[in-house]
Amino acid sequence: MANPTITDREFNQFRNLIYDIAGITLSDAKKLLVSSRLVKRLLHHGLSNYGDYFQLLQDCRFADELQIAVDLLTTNETYFFREPKHFDFIREQVLAQHCAGRPLRAWSAACSSGEEAYTLAMVMADTLSGGTWEILASDISTRMLDRARSGHYALERTDGISREHLRRYCLKGIGSQQGTLLIDRRLRERVCFEHINLNEPLPQVGLFDIILLRNVMIYFDSDTKSQVLGRLCPALRPGGYFIVSHTENLNGLNHPLQSVKPSIYRKPPNIKN
């Protein structure tokens, strides 16, 4: 029996759903992606079309299924030391100038499966070896957060990690775990993973010296970008840095940040939260 085909009307239902929940804008070109990612859920529930699955998601008794659908429709591509110049900047310009009187706090605000957060942890452990620091890592996908908390990765996903960092902070699997790598417990304990939807009012997370929101804004329209910035900027400490990906910028958006270099912004030190 052939898999169900998603209609334009059904695709628009899911497009509106993910926009309302996550602020993510799906173009018409994503129709095949939506159908391919959700088809197994239709089959799991014995449904013959995407419209019936959409109706199931509206039922409050299926809140867990709604989270599964959100997980499946969220893009999760990431890898260790992605866009390495950002981590060079953090090491040389942010961490090197940090005053030791208080903990340095960083937030990986769309951490996916955790590679960005653990990369940041390696850089901070290198530079602030005897100091206090902490990392909050958040994502809308509970499935990705579970994977991130484990700190367990296939070796082919760790190409960006230097030999020195592998030696210091990673454990190579043997026996039944051969072909995998585990982030050292010392780093895992420094990273707190939380389920946070940036498209909703934020929980109390405190102030941060660094916020990374990379490769996320490209999925938002202008209104959603402004709303997300309006939520995140108050969580950035005066003098703190806000980093997006090299393919993104904050041009034309209302925010208090000043451009330091492409993709890197700073909240003025004298501004009040």
Side-chain angles (χ1 to χ4, degrees):
M1 181 178 177
N3 287 334
T5 300
I6 192 169
T7 66
D8 289 342
R9 179 176 180 274
E10 291 166 341
F11 170 66
N12 285 328
Q13 288 177 318
F14 288 103
R15 174 157 58 182
N16 292 335
L17 177 72
I18 199 66
Y19 180 81
D20 290 342
I21 293 174
I24 294 172
T25 301
L26 297 177
S27 68
D28 291 341
K30 299 295 185 181
K31 184 177 177 181
L32 179 59
L33 179 145
V34 170
S35 64
S36 62
R37 290 194 176 185
L38 295 181
V39 65
K40 288 185 179 179
R41 302 311 302 168
L42 270 70
L43 301 177
H44 173 80
H45 289 284
L47 301 174
S48 60
N49 62 75
Y50 288 88
D52 287 346
Y53 182 63
F54 179 80
Q55 291 303 316
L56 180 146
L57 297 181
Q58 308 308 301
D59 190 329
C60 62
R61 295 174 298 175
F62 290 92
D64 290 346
E65 184 65 31
L66 178 60
Q67 181 62 56
I68 291 173
V70 170
D71 288 354
L72 292 171
L73 295 178
T74 304
T75 301
N76 299 306
E77 181 185 1
T78 186
Y79 44 90
F80 287 96
F81 285 90
R82 186 177 189 177
E83 299 181 291
K85 289 185 177 180
H86 284 156
F87 298 103
D88 293 340
F89 178 87
I90 290 171
R91 181 188 299 107
E92 297 164 5
Q93 301 296 322
V94 185
L95 303 185
Q97 299 176 19
H98 177 66
C99 298
R102 60 171 177 78
L104 187 142
R105 302 188 71 227
W107 183 6
S108 172
C111 70
S112 188
S113 46
E115 286 91 335
E116 178 180 87
Y118 289 128
T119 298
L120 192 55
M122 293 179 197
V123 172
M124 293 172 77
D126 282 344
T127 312
L128 305 174
S129 55
T132 55
W133 52 271
E134 57 190 63
I135 296 172
L136 171 66
S138 65
D139 202 82
I140 193 173
S141 170
T142 56
R143 178 172 57 97
M144 287 294 104
L145 288 169
D146 287 342
R147 187 178 302 176
R149 288 188 187 99
S150 74
H152 193 205
Y153 300 94
L155 279 178
E156 59 263 25
R157 293 187 60 82
T158 63
D159 291 343
I161 306 177
S162 70
R163 287 190 176 183
E164 182 61 21
H165 283 125
L166 286 170
R167 183 186 67 80
R168 288 185 186 178
Y169 305 121
C170 304
L171 304 172
K172 189 175 181 180
I174 60 175
S176 63
Q177 299 300 323
Q178 189 171 357
T180 68
L181 173 150
L182 182 66
I183 301 297
D184 190 277
R185 181 184 297 274
R186 294 170 298 163
L187 290 194
R188 299 202 313 271
E189 290 177 346
R190 291 287 196 121
V191 183
C192 175
F193 290 98
E194 292 190 19
H195 179 244
I196 296 177
N197 183 351
L198 302 178
N199 200 41
E200 296 178 347
L202 299 179
Q204 294 296 320
V205 292
L207 293 177
F208 296 90
D209 300 279
I210 308 166
I211 296 178
L212 291 90
L213 186 66
R214 306 188 306 163
N215 300 290
V216 177
M217 300 287 265
I218 54 174
Y219 300 106
F220 296 156
D221 61 19
S222 294
D223 288 343
T224 304
K225 288 177 182 177
S226 295
Q227 292 169 18
V228 169
L229 280 175
R231 297 184 186 103
L232 292 182
C233 285
L236 187 64
R237 191 184 300 276
Y241 291 88
F242 191 98
I243 302 177
V244 297
S245 81
H246 290 302
T247 61
E248 300 168 315
N249 63 67
L250 306 183
N251 296 344
L253 301 173
N254 184 28
H255 59 80
L257 308 176
Q258 297 176 342
S259 177
V260 175
K261 55 172 55 181
S263 75
I264 299 177
Y265 299 82
R266 191 184 191 197
K267 179 182 275 191
N270 59 352
I271 197 170
K272 293 183 179 180
N273 274 359

mmCIF file of all heavy atoms in Angstrom, residues 189-220:
data_model
loop_
_atom_site.group_PDB
_atom_site.id
_atom_site.type_symbol
_atom_site.label_atom_id
_atom_site.label_comp_id
_atom_site.label_asym_id
_atom_site.label_seq_id
_atom_site.Cartn_x
_atom_site.Cartn_y
_atom_site.Cartn_z
ATOM 1 N N GLU A 189 28.487 18.001 33.236
ATOM 2 C CA GLU A 189 27.909 18.544 34.459
ATOM 3 C C GLU A 189 27.875 20.066 34.469
ATOM 4 O O GLU A 189 27.183 20.669 35.291
ATOM 5 C CB GLU A 189 28.684 18.029 35.670
ATOM 6 C CG GLU A 189 28.466 16.542 35.927
ATOM 7 C CD GLU A 189 29.280 16.018 37.083
ATOM 8 O OE1 GLU A 189 30.218 16.726 37.516
ATOM 9 O OE2 GLU A 189 28.987 14.894 37.557
ATOM 10 N N ARG A 190 28.622 20.696 33.559
ATOM 11 C CA ARG A 190 28.641 22.159 33.478
ATOM 12 C C ARG A 190 27.553 22.718 32.568
ATOM 13 O O ARG A 190 27.342 23.916 32.524
ATOM 14 C CB ARG A 190 29.999 22.634 32.942
ATOM 15 C CG ARG A 190 31.166 22.415 33.882
ATOM 16 C CD ARG A 190 31.150 23.374 35.058
ATOM 17 N NE ARG A 190 32.429 23.410 35.742
ATOM 18 C CZ ARG A 190 33.164 24.495 35.907
ATOM 19 N NH1 ARG A 190 32.740 25.654 35.451
ATOM 20 N NH2 ARG A 190 34.314 24.436 36.553
ATOM 21 N N VAL A 191 26.892 21.843 31.814
ATOM 22 C CA VAL A 191 25.885 22.284 30.852
ATOM 23 C C VAL A 191 24.506 21.853 31.338
ATOM 24 O O VAL A 191 24.272 20.673 31.595
ATOM 25 C CB VAL A 191 26.154 21.700 29.449
ATOM 26 C CG1 VAL A 191 25.132 22.237 28.448
ATOM 27 C CG2 VAL A 191 27.579 22.028 28.989
ATOM 28 N N CYS A 192 23.613 22.828 31.466
ATOM 29 C CA CYS A 192 22.232 22.550 31.878
ATOM 30 C C CYS A 192 21.338 22.632 30.649
ATOM 31 O O CYS A 192 21.228 23.698 30.023
ATOM 32 C CB CYS A 192 21.800 23.566 32.929
ATOM 33 S SG CYS A 192 20.068 23.413 33.419
ATOM 34 N N PHE A 193 20.709 21.522 30.287
ATOM 35 C CA PHE A 193 19.833 21.477 29.118
ATOM 36 C C PHE A 193 18.379 21.675 29.562
ATOM 37 O O PHE A 193 17.905 20.977 30.469
ATOM 38 C CB PHE A 193 19.976 20.150 28.382
ATOM 39 C CG PHE A 193 21.304 19.999 27.677
ATOM 40 C CD1 PHE A 193 22.341 19.293 28.264
ATOM 41 C CD2 PHE A 193 21.506 20.577 26.438
ATOM 42 C CE1 PHE A 193 23.561 19.164 27.628
ATOM 43 C CE2 PHE A 193 22.722 20.447 25.783
ATOM 44 C CZ PHE A 193 23.751 19.742 26.379
ATOM 45 N N GLU A 194 17.688 22.610 28.909
ATOM 46 C CA GLU A 194 16.301 22.902 29.252
ATOM 47 C C GLU A 194 15.450 23.030 27.993
ATOM 48 O O GLU A 194 15.925 23.495 26.955
ATOM 49 C CB GLU A 194 16.194 24.198 30.065
ATOM 50 C CG GLU A 194 16.782 24.123 31.459
ATOM 51 C CD GLU A 194 16.439 25.347 32.289
ATOM 52 O OE1 GLU A 194 15.476 26.066 31.921
ATOM 53 O OE2 GLU A 194 17.139 25.588 33.285
ATOM 54 N N HIS A 195 14.194 22.625 28.127
ATOM 55 C CA HIS A 195 13.241 22.776 27.027
ATOM 56 C C HIS A 195 12.669 24.195 27.067
ATOM 57 O O HIS A 195 11.938 24.551 27.992
ATOM 58 C CB HIS A 195 12.116 21.750 27.164
ATOM 59 C CG HIS A 195 11.082 21.839 26.091
ATOM 60 N ND1 HIS A 195 9.775 22.172 26.330
ATOM 61 C CD2 HIS A 195 11.175 21.655 24.742
ATOM 62 C CE1 HIS A 195 9.101 22.166 25.193
ATOM 63 N NE2 HIS A 195 9.926 21.866 24.219
ATOM 64 N N ILE A 196 13.038 25.013 26.089
ATOM 65 C CA ILE A 196 12.572 26.398 26.014
ATOM 66 C C ILE A 196 12.143 26.693 24.587
ATOM 67 O O ILE A 196 12.886 26.440 23.633
ATOM 68 C CB ILE A 196 13.660 27.391 26.455
ATOM 69 C CG1 ILE A 196 14.018 27.180 27.934
ATOM 70 C CG2 ILE A 196 13.218 28.834 26.223
ATOM 71 C CD1 ILE A 196 15.139 28.081 28.435
ATOM 72 N N ASN A 197 10.958 27.235 24.441
ATOM 73 C CA ASN A 197 10.437 27.683 23.151
ATOM 74 C C ASN A 197 10.658 29.189 23.062
ATOM 75 O O ASN A 197 10.049 29.966 23.797
ATOM 76 C CB ASN A 197 8.951 27.345 23.044
ATOM 77 C CG ASN A 197 8.364 27.710 21.688
ATOM 78 O OD1 ASN A 197 9.006 28.360 20.859
ATOM 79 N ND2 ASN A 197 7.115 27.296 21.458
ATOM 80 N N LEU A 198 11.520 29.619 22.165
ATOM 81 C CA LEU A 198 11.848 31.039 22.036
ATOM 82 C C LEU A 198 10.686 31.856 21.499
ATOM 83 O O LEU A 198 10.718 33.089 21.538
ATOM 84 C CB LEU A 198 13.062 31.217 21.117
ATOM 85 C CG LEU A 198 14.345 30.492 21.551
ATOM 86 C CD1 LEU A 198 15.445 30.725 20.533
ATOM 87 C CD2 LEU A 198 14.778 30.929 22.936
ATOM 88 N N ASN A 199 9.666 31.180 21.013
ATOM 89 C CA ASN A 199 8.485 31.861 20.479
ATOM 90 C C ASN A 199 7.440 32.126 21.560
ATOM 91 O O ASN A 199 6.347 32.586 21.259
ATOM 92 C CB ASN A 199 7.869 31.033 19.344
ATOM 93 C CG ASN A 199 6.978 31.852 18.433
ATOM 94 O OD1 ASN A 199 7.302 32.982 18.083
ATOM 95 N ND2 ASN A 199 5.843 31.287 18.042
ATOM 96 N N GLU A 200 7.783 31.832 22.809
ATOM 97 C CA GLU A 200 6.888 32.069 23.941
ATOM 98 C C GLU A 200 7.624 32.888 24.990
ATOM 99 O O GLU A 200 8.857 32.995 24.951
ATOM 100 C CB GLU A 200 6.456 30.727 24.556
ATOM 101 C CG GLU A 200 5.623 29.857 23.629
ATOM 102 C CD GLU A 200 5.268 28.526 24.270
ATOM 103 O OE1 GLU A 200 5.880 28.190 25.320
ATOM 104 O OE2 GLU A 200 4.413 27.818 23.720
ATOM 105 N N PRO A 201 6.904 33.478 25.953
ATOM 106 C CA PRO A 201 7.592 34.178 27.048
ATOM 107 C C PRO A 201 8.602 33.256 27.717
ATOM 108 O O PRO A 201 8.325 32.085 27.967
ATOM 109 C CB PRO A 201 6.447 34.546 28.004
ATOM 110 C CG PRO A 201 5.242 34.649 27.110
ATOM 111 C CD PRO A 201 5.426 33.589 26.060
ATOM 112 N N LEU A 202 9.776 33.788 27.999
ATOM 113 C CA LEU A 202 10.856 32.967 28.538
ATOM 114 C C LEU A 202 10.687 32.725 30.031
ATOM 115 O O LEU A 202 10.167 33.578 30.746
ATOM 116 C CB LEU A 202 12.212 33.645 28.299
ATOM 117 C CG LEU A 202 12.610 33.903 26.853
ATOM 118 C CD1 LEU A 202 13.962 34.596 26.814
ATOM 119 C CD2 LEU A 202 12.645 32.610 26.054
ATOM 120 N N PRO A 203 11.166 31.590 30.517
ATOM 121 C CA PRO A 203 11.235 31.388 31.962
ATOM 122 C C PRO A 203 12.328 32.287 32.543
ATOM 123 O O PRO A 203 13.085 32.925 31.808
ATOM 124 C CB PRO A 203 11.613 29.906 32.088
ATOM 125 C CG PRO A 203 12.339 29.605 30.820
ATOM 126 C CD PRO A 203 11.688 30.434 29.759
ATOM 127 N N GLN A 204 12.438 32.322 33.854
ATOM 128 C CA GLN A 204 13.491 33.105 34.495
ATOM 129 C C GLN A 204 14.823 32.370 34.313
ATOM 130 O O GLN A 204 15.032 31.309 34.897
ATOM 131 C CB GLN A 204 13.172 33.280 35.988
ATOM 132 C CG GLN A 204 11.935 34.116 36.262
ATOM 133 C CD GLN A 204 12.087 35.552 35.786
ATOM 134 O OE1 GLN A 204 13.146 36.162 35.937
ATOM 135 N NE2 GLN A 204 11.032 36.104 35.221
ATOM 136 N N VAL A 205 15.684 32.940 33.503
ATOM 137 C CA VAL A 205 16.952 32.276 33.200
ATOM 138 C C VAL A 205 18.162 33.080 33.678
ATOM 139 O O VAL A 205 19.293 32.595 33.600
ATOM 140 C CB VAL A 205 17.091 32.000 31.682
ATOM 141 C CG1 VAL A 205 16.086 30.949 31.235
ATOM 142 C CG2 VAL A 205 16.946 33.278 30.873
ATOM 143 N N GLY A 206 17.952 34.296 34.160
ATOM 144 C CA GLY A 206 19.065 35.112 34.618
ATOM 145 C C GLY A 206 19.733 35.859 33.480
ATOM 146 O O GLY A 206 19.203 35.958 32.371
ATOM 147 N N LEU A 207 20.921 36.399 33.756
ATOM 148 C CA LEU A 207 21.665 37.193 32.789
ATOM 149 C C LEU A 207 22.868 36.417 32.264
ATOM 150 O O LEU A 207 23.486 35.637 32.988
ATOM 151 C CB LEU A 207 22.153 38.498 33.433
ATOM 152 C CG LEU A 207 21.075 39.511 33.828
ATOM 153 C CD1 LEU A 207 21.709 40.711 34.522
ATOM 154 C CD2 LEU A 207 20.278 39.961 32.610
ATOM 155 N N PHE A 208 23.203 36.698 31.001
ATOM 156 C CA PHE A 208 24.279 35.970 30.333
ATOM 157 C C PHE A 208 25.309 36.931 29.752
ATOM 158 O O PHE A 208 24.978 38.028 29.305
ATOM 159 C CB PHE A 208 23.716 35.085 29.221
ATOM 160 C CG PHE A 208 22.804 34.002 29.730
ATOM 161 C CD1 PHE A 208 21.444 34.232 29.854
ATOM 162 C CD2 PHE A 208 23.320 32.776 30.120
ATOM 163 C CE1 PHE A 208 20.601 33.248 30.346
ATOM 164 C CE2 PHE A 208 22.485 31.786 30.612
ATOM 165 C CZ PHE A 208 21.125 32.024 30.725
ATOM 166 N N ASP A 209 26.555 36.476 29.730
ATOM 167 C CA ASP A 209 27.636 37.220 29.091
ATOM 168 C C ASP A 209 27.697 36.939 27.593
ATOM 169 O O ASP A 209 28.202 37.758 26.830
ATOM 170 C CB ASP A 209 28.978 36.839 29.730
ATOM 171 C CG ASP A 209 29.004 37.163 31.220
ATOM 172 O OD1 ASP A 209 29.232 38.326 31.565
ATOM 173 O OD2 ASP A 209 28.771 36.234 32.020
ATOM 174 N N ILE A 210 27.213 35.768 27.201
ATOM 175 C CA ILE A 210 27.214 35.356 25.797
ATOM 176 C C ILE A 210 25.895 34.659 25.501
ATOM 177 O O ILE A 210 25.478 33.782 26.267
ATOM 178 C CB ILE A 210 28.355 34.369 25.485
ATOM 179 C CG1 ILE A 210 29.714 34.898 25.947
ATOM 180 C CG2 ILE A 210 28.390 34.027 23.999
ATOM 181 C CD1 ILE A 210 30.802 33.825 25.968
ATOM 182 N N ILE A 211 25.249 35.037 24.411
ATOM 183 C CA ILE A 211 24.096 34.292 23.903
ATOM 184 C C ILE A 211 24.389 33.927 22.453
ATOM 185 O O ILE A 211 24.708 34.792 21.629
ATOM 186 C CB ILE A 211 22.792 35.103 23.983
ATOM 187 C CG1 ILE A 211 22.428 35.391 25.450
ATOM 188 C CG2 ILE A 211 21.650 34.348 23.302
ATOM 189 C CD1 ILE A 211 21.173 36.238 25.619
ATOM 190 N N LEU A 212 24.314 32.645 22.147
ATOM 191 C CA LEU A 212 24.454 32.181 20.769
ATOM 192 C C LEU A 212 23.082 31.777 20.248
ATOM 193 O O LEU A 212 22.399 30.941 20.856
ATOM 194 C CB LEU A 212 25.410 30.991 20.686
ATOM 195 C CG LEU A 212 26.885 31.259 20.959
ATOM 196 C CD1 LEU A 212 27.185 31.077 22.438
ATOM 197 C CD2 LEU A 212 27.771 30.323 20.132
ATOM 198 N N LEU A 213 22.697 32.379 19.131
ATOM 199 C CA LEU A 213 21.452 32.012 18.449
ATOM 200 C C LEU A 213 21.792 31.890 16.966
ATOM 201 O O LEU A 213 21.470 32.748 16.157
ATOM 202 C CB LEU A 213 20.373 33.066 18.683
ATOM 203 C CG LEU A 213 18.982 32.720 18.133
ATOM 204 C CD1 LEU A 213 18.391 31.520 18.868
ATOM 205 C CD2 LEU A 213 18.040 33.903 18.229
ATOM 206 N N ARG A 214 22.452 30.798 16.627
ATOM 207 C CA ARG A 214 23.018 30.646 15.295
ATOM 208 C C ARG A 214 22.186 29.694 14.436
ATOM 209 O O ARG A 214 21.717 28.671 14.901
ATOM 210 C CB ARG A 214 24.454 30.146 15.398
ATOM 211 C CG ARG A 214 25.328 31.030 16.317
ATOM 212 C CD ARG A 214 26.788 30.652 16.261
ATOM 213 N NE ARG A 214 27.016 29.245 16.527
ATOM 214 C CZ ARG A 214 28.151 28.608 16.228
ATOM 215 N NH1 ARG A 214 29.136 29.252 15.651
ATOM 216 N NH2 ARG A 214 28.295 27.329 16.528
ATOM 217 N N ASN A 215 22.040 30.087 13.163
ATOM 218 C CA ASN A 215 21.326 29.257 12.190
ATOM 219 C C ASN A 215 19.893 28.977 12.618
ATOM 220 O O ASN A 215 19.351 27.896 12.389
ATOM 221 C CB ASN A 215 22.083 27.937 11.966
ATOM 222 C CG ASN A 215 23.489 28.161 11.449
ATOM 223 O OD1 ASN A 215 23.678 28.578 10.313
ATOM 224 N ND2 ASN A 215 24.479 27.939 12.308
ATOM 225 N N VAL A 216 19.282 29.980 13.227
ATOM 226 C CA VAL A 216 17.889 29.881 13.663
ATOM 227 C C VAL A 216 17.055 31.006 13.052
ATOM 228 O O VAL A 216 15.954 30.776 12.560
ATOM 229 C CB VAL A 216 17.791 29.945 15.206
ATOM 230 C CG1 VAL A 216 16.337 29.905 15.650
ATOM 231 C CG2 VAL A 216 18.553 28.804 15.840
ATOM 232 N N MET A 217 17.599 32.214 13.072
ATOM 233 C CA MET A 217 16.848 33.382 12.596
ATOM 234 C C MET A 217 16.438 33.250 11.124
ATOM 235 O O MET A 217 15.453 33.846 10.698
ATOM 236 C CB MET A 217 17.679 34.648 12.792
ATOM 237 C CG MET A 217 18.058 34.921 14.241
ATOM 238 S SD MET A 217 16.674 35.489 15.233
ATOM 239 C CE MET A 217 16.911 37.249 15.105
ATOM 240 N N ILE A 218 17.195 32.458 10.367
ATOM 241 C CA ILE A 218 16.866 32.286 8.947
ATOM 242 C C ILE A 218 15.512 31.605 8.751
ATOM 243 O O ILE A 218 14.925 31.686 7.668
ATOM 244 C CB ILE A 218 17.950 31.484 8.202
ATOM 245 C CG1 ILE A 218 18.220 30.146 8.890
ATOM 246 C CG2 ILE A 218 19.235 32.276 8.087
ATOM 247 C CD1 ILE A 218 19.177 29.246 8.135
ATOM 248 N N TYR A 219 15.003 30.946 9.795
ATOM 249 C CA TYR A 219 13.708 30.266 9.690
ATOM 250 C C TYR A 219 12.553 31.148 10.167
ATOM 251 O O TYR A 219 11.402 30.720 10.121
ATOM 252 C CB TYR A 219 13.726 28.964 10.499
ATOM 253 C CG TYR A 219 14.778 27.990 10.020
ATOM 254 C CD1 TYR A 219 15.940 27.773 10.752
ATOM 255 C CD2 TYR A 219 14.622 27.300 8.814
ATOM 256 C CE1 TYR A 219 16.910 26.890 10.314
ATOM 257 C CE2 TYR A 219 15.590 26.420 8.366
ATOM 258 C CZ TYR A 219 16.729 26.222 9.116
ATOM 259 O OH TYR A 219 17.695 25.354 8.674
ATOM 260 N N PHE A 220 12.867 32.368 10.648
ATOM 261 C CA PHE A 220 11.852 33.267 11.181
ATOM 262 C C PHE A 220 11.556 34.387 10.192
ATOM 263 O O PHE A 220 12.458 34.852 9.485
ATOM 264 C CB PHE A 220 12.323 33.903 12.498
ATOM 265 C CG PHE A 220 12.542 32.942 13.630
ATOM 266 C CD1 PHE A 220 13.408 33.263 14.664
ATOM 267 C CD2 PHE A 220 11.880 31.724 13.679
ATOM 268 C CE1 PHE A 220 13.622 32.397 15.719
ATOM 269 C CE2 PHE A 220 12.081 30.840 14.734
ATOM 270 C CZ PHE A 220 12.955 31.179 15.758
#
